[in-house]
Amino acid sequence: MTDDASDPQRRANELRADIERTRAQLGETVAELAYKADVKARVVDRAAAMREKSAVPIGAVVGAILAVLGYLWWRNH
């Protein structure tokens, strides 16, 4: 009877899985470092996020303007 821990095929499969996990983590780390080094991309992303955060729906602005103009017209006639 063979011990599972000493099975060479199982150990090889575990090592392959560990290598794949390490490669994936390394790829993520390299991507994060590349993004940190790309100042222009970070500025563009931050500006886009700020625009989305502070954006007022155009319909709300148009509606408010029309409401004010309608009130002023009604009041003067």
Side-chain angles (χ1 to χ4, degrees), residues 2-76:
T2 62
D3 183 22
D4 286 339
S6 64
D7 182 20
Q9 185 63 35
R10 181 175 178 177
R11 181 70 181 136
N13 289 339
E14 290 173 357
L15 285 173
R16 284 186 192 100
D18 189 37
I19 289 169
E20 288 303 314
R21 278 191 301 275
T22 302
R23 282 182 181 162
Q25 291 172 345
L26 181 59
E28 291 174 9
T29 301
V30 168
E32 290 171 2
L33 288 172
Y35 180 74
K36 285 188 178 203
D38 191 355
V39 176
K40 183 178 178 182
R42 290 187 1 225
V43 168
V44 169
D45 288 348
R46 185 163 183 171
M50 291 177 73
R51 274 193 307 271
E52 289 176 7
K53 183 179 179 183
S54 65
V56 176
I58 191 74
V61 173
V62 170
I65 291 171
L66 290 175
V68 169
L69 290 175
Y71 171 74
L72 292 174
W73 179 82
W74 175 78
R75 197 176 116 209
N76 289 328

